[in-house]
Amino acid sequence: MQVTETLNEGLKRGYTITVTADELEAKVNEKLAEAQPDVEMKGFRKGKVPMKLLKQQFGQRLLGEAMQDAVDGAMQSHFEESGDRPAMQPKIEMQGGEQWKQGDDVVVEMSYEALPEITEPDFSAIKLERLVVKADEAAVTEALENLAKSAQNFEAKDGAAESGDQVVIDFTGRIDGEAFEGGAAEDFPLTLGTGQFIPGFEDQLVGAKAGDEKDVTVTFPEEYGAEHLAGKEAVFFCTVKEVKAPKPAEIDDALAKRYGAEDLESFKSQIRERLEGEYGQAARAVAKRALLDKLDEAVAFDLPPSLVDAEAGQIAHQLWHDENPQVQGHDHPEIEPTEEHRKLAVRRVKLGLLLAEIGRKNEVEVTDAEMTNAVMNQARQYPGQERQFFEFVQQNAQIQQQLRAPIFEDKVVDLIFGKIDVSEREVGKDDLQKAIEAMEEDETAATAAPTES
């Protein structure tokens, strides 16, 4: 077997792999010898079928396997000896193709782009500032007030219903004068302004008083879930039985107990801890973005063009769908990446390769427990279908990689944070919010270039 280099330009590599006819026949004979003890054939005892007869019976089928094994073995040996790591699956083409016949040498052309040599930056030269926000009394009070509003009760009131009030109604809906299934209820508590009912329904009850009777005319949306109602006009005869005004819950021990705390003071401590956890996550996101910016500036190496092209195409495609949400499938014109898309792709590919290399050299791994936790978090989005989601993930390597990638990236980022000079500066939550907005504006600007079709 012979491997000859045919291309070595930048990261592009090309090789010719030659497997002689004799080598191929030897591999076929090797496979037949391995199988011979277990082969049964009429007229022969198990394991006693002559090799010549085995070759007549199975040789042609094993030829393809032997050919594949030989090429795979040559590729593996090449990568082990050269140290090359292909950026994407190598391209394999057999010379002669359908013209090849048994007894000929097998000649295969292999081409790929190698991953570049990546040198870690001098981490000791990188300095970052991490924002620290403490949850002050005002923030805790604001959170408590919001919780009290969400735990609000409603008390009967005189006068007209306003947005935010609750009306208790009986209603019957009709389409073309005929009542329809699911269109009636009694003593239904409807909070106006929540968008709980069909658009326009709640608005027509603003100003109603207890005892009023009112016809509410609405049109079901075209995309309404029940096809027999979608796009049709309906009239609901409503009787307003009571109007209630919202009354926030009292901020006291009783409220705290509704949320599982022993008393108000322990509830405040829990809220403070939760707020500071949220502030910490936001501050970490800002620091991570700053770190990636510095790493982007600190390193330079050749990038595999195929990876950049693929990433630019994916960015352009995703942004096109963001701008055209009505198109669910891929039946649309070809999306050509712009220079801005390619610029963003270059950054993503460079940082992705850098973080992957740092993680590899430092033996960073995603544990089974971390993957299980990630799958469980995703499964919560599908209540009642958690088992099906787990099975789907187990059978889908691409989904597993999508869940594993951000965990791996965060672990590598945390590793780097431990190697660089990170100082802390205490700020107010408004300053943190400004930093977050600035970061989001930068990200938006980076993806704002229009797509071309």
Side-chain angles (χ1 to χ4, degrees), residues 11 85-87 114-116 118 301-304 307-308 346-360 408:
L11 298 176
R85 288 179 293 143
L115 288 175
I118 300 174
F301 48 83
D302 291 337
L303 300 179
L307 291 185
V308 175
V346 166
R347 172 187 166 94
R348 287 186 180 179
V349 171
K350 180 166 74 167
L351 290 174
L353 291 177
L354 175 62
L355 293 179
E357 182 66 7
I358 294 172
R360 186 181 71 86
F408 177 85

Side-chain angles (χ1 to χ4, degrees), residues 21-248:
D22 290 341
E23 290 172 327
L24 198 58
E25 184 177 9
K27 279 197 170 291
V28 171
N29 291 336
E30 180 183 330
K31 285 180 174 293
L32 289 171
E34 290 176 359
Q36 188 179 35
D38 299 318
V39 175
E40 296 184 53
M41 192 177 291
K42 188 175 181 180
F44 298 93
R45 285 180 296 158
K46 181 179 180 180
K48 298 300 181 180
V49 181
M51 186 67 72
K52 182 177 180 180
L53 189 57
L54 285 177
K55 183 173 290 189
Q56 291 175 354
Q57 186 77 11
F58 304 110
Q60 194 65 35
R61 190 179 73 188
L62 292 177
L63 186 64
E65 294 181 14
M67 195 181 300
Q68 186 66 53
D69 288 351
V71 173
D72 289 346
M75 288 173 55
Q76 183 175 349
S77 297
H78 163 71
F79 290 128
E80 289 175 353
E81 293 170 6
S82 68
D84 275 358
R85 288 179 293 143
M88 301 180 75
Q89 185 68 24
K91 181 180 180 181
I92 302 294
E93 291 184 338
M94 181 176 171
Q95 287 187 3
E98 296 180 357
Q99 304 296 323
W100 182 86
K101 61 183 183 296
Q102 190 170 349
D104 290 348
D105 293 346
V106 175
V107 182
V108 170
E109 299 292 342
M110 176 177 70
S111 59
Y112 61 89
E113 291 173 357
L115 288 175
E117 289 292 328
I118 300 174
T119 303
E120 290 185 0
D122 179 7
F123 292 124
S124 63
I126 299 178
K127 299 182 185 297
L128 276 184
E129 181 180 75
R130 188 196 293 265
L131 304 180
V132 177
V133 180
K134 301 295 184 183
D136 57 23
E137 199 62 32
V140 173
T141 299
E142 181 182 357
L144 274 171
E145 290 174 347
N146 289 333
L147 289 172
K149 289 178 182 177
S150 64
Q152 67 187 2
N153 297 310
F154 289 90
E155 292 184 345
K157 63 173 272 188
D158 294 327
E162 302 174 14
S163 181
D165 285 349
Q166 185 183 86
V167 291
V168 180
I169 57 175
D170 294 343
F171 63 85
T172 301
R174 288 182 170 82
I175 295 177
D176 296 330
E178 296 291 331
F180 56 90
E181 184 179 356
E186 294 182 353
D187 296 324
F188 190 92
L190 175 62
T191 303
L192 303 182
T194 59
Q196 185 178 357
F197 274 18
I198 305 165
F201 190 105
E202 296 168 21
D203 294 341
Q204 295 178 55
L205 291 175
V206 172
K209 300 178 182 179
D212 284 356
E213 294 181 346
K214 187 175 182 62
D215 286 343
V216 173
T217 302
V218 292
T219 300
F220 284 92
E222 293 289 343
E223 65 278 8
Y224 195 69
E227 293 185 6
H228 66 290
L229 300 178
K232 294 185 178 180
E233 183 179 87
V235 179
F236 288 83
F237 176 73
C238 301
T239 299
V240 180
K241 303 175 78 171
E242 195 172 9
V243 176
K244 297 182 177 182
K247 181 184 179 183

Side-chain angles (χ1 to χ4, degrees), residues 137-394:
E137 199 62 32
V140 173
T141 299
E142 181 182 357
L144 274 171
E145 290 174 347
N146 289 333
L147 289 172
K149 289 178 182 177
S150 64
Q152 67 187 2
N153 297 310
F154 289 90
E155 292 184 345
K157 63 173 272 188
D158 294 327
E162 302 174 14
S163 181
D165 285 349
Q166 185 183 86
V167 291
V168 180
I169 57 175
D170 294 343
F171 63 85
T172 301
R174 288 182 170 82
I175 295 177
D176 296 330
E178 296 291 331
F180 56 90
E181 184 179 356
E186 294 182 353
D187 296 324
F188 190 92
L190 175 62
T191 303
L192 303 182
T194 59
Q196 185 178 357
F197 274 18
I198 305 165
F201 190 105
E202 296 168 21
D203 294 341
Q204 295 178 55
L205 291 175
V206 172
K209 300 178 182 179
D212 284 356
E213 294 181 346
K214 187 175 182 62
D215 286 343
V216 173
T217 302
V218 292
T219 300
F220 284 92
E222 293 289 343
E223 65 278 8
Y224 195 69
E227 293 185 6
H228 66 290
L229 300 178
K232 294 185 178 180
E233 183 179 87
V235 179
F236 288 83
F237 176 73
C238 301
T239 299
V240 180
K241 303 175 78 171
E242 195 172 9
V243 176
K244 297 182 177 182
K247 181 184 179 183
E250 296 292 334
I251 299 177
D252 54 17
D253 289 345
L255 176 66
K257 290 177 180 178
R258 289 179 65 175
Y259 286 95
E262 292 184 2
D263 53 36
L264 184 57
E265 284 307 311
S266 62
F267 192 36
K268 285 183 178 181
S269 297
Q270 292 177 13
I271 290 174
R272 184 175 288 104
E273 184 178 341
R274 176 178 61 80
L275 288 174
E276 291 184 353
E278 293 174 357
Y279 297 154
Q281 290 179 0
R284 184 189 185 282
V286 173
K288 177 181 175 180
R289 174 57 189 262
L291 173 63
L292 295 179
D293 288 345
K294 288 184 177 292
L295 291 176
D296 189 23
E297 296 172 358
V299 298
F301 48 83
D302 291 337
L303 300 179
S306 59
L307 291 185
V308 175
D309 290 344
E311 184 67 23
Q314 184 175 343
I315 291 169
H317 191 261
Q318 182 60 54
L319 290 176
W320 188 90
H321 275 285
D322 290 345
E323 295 164 3
N324 300 272
Q326 73 279 5
V327 181
Q328 298 298 318
H330 301 289
D331 184 18
H332 54 68
E334 183 178 355
I335 311 302
E336 290 294 335
T338 66
E339 283 305 310
E340 287 301 316
H341 296 145
R342 293 191 61 80
K343 181 179 178 181
L344 180 57
V346 166
R347 172 187 166 94
R348 287 186 180 179
V349 171
K350 180 166 74 167
L351 290 174
L353 291 177
L354 175 62
L355 293 179
E357 182 66 7
I358 294 172
R360 186 181 71 86
K361 289 181 176 178
N362 289 274
E363 299 181 344
V364 174
E365 293 184 354
V366 177
T367 66
D368 290 342
E370 289 167 335
M371 274 297 294
T372 299
N373 188 52
V375 175
M376 289 177 64
N377 288 336
Q378 287 291 316
R380 291 191 184 100
Q381 299 180 23
Y382 308 95
Q385 298 180 322
E386 291 85 353
R387 179 181 293 275
Q388 293 93 320
F389 182 79
F390 268 92
E391 293 174 353
F392 172 71
V393 172
Q394 288 176 342

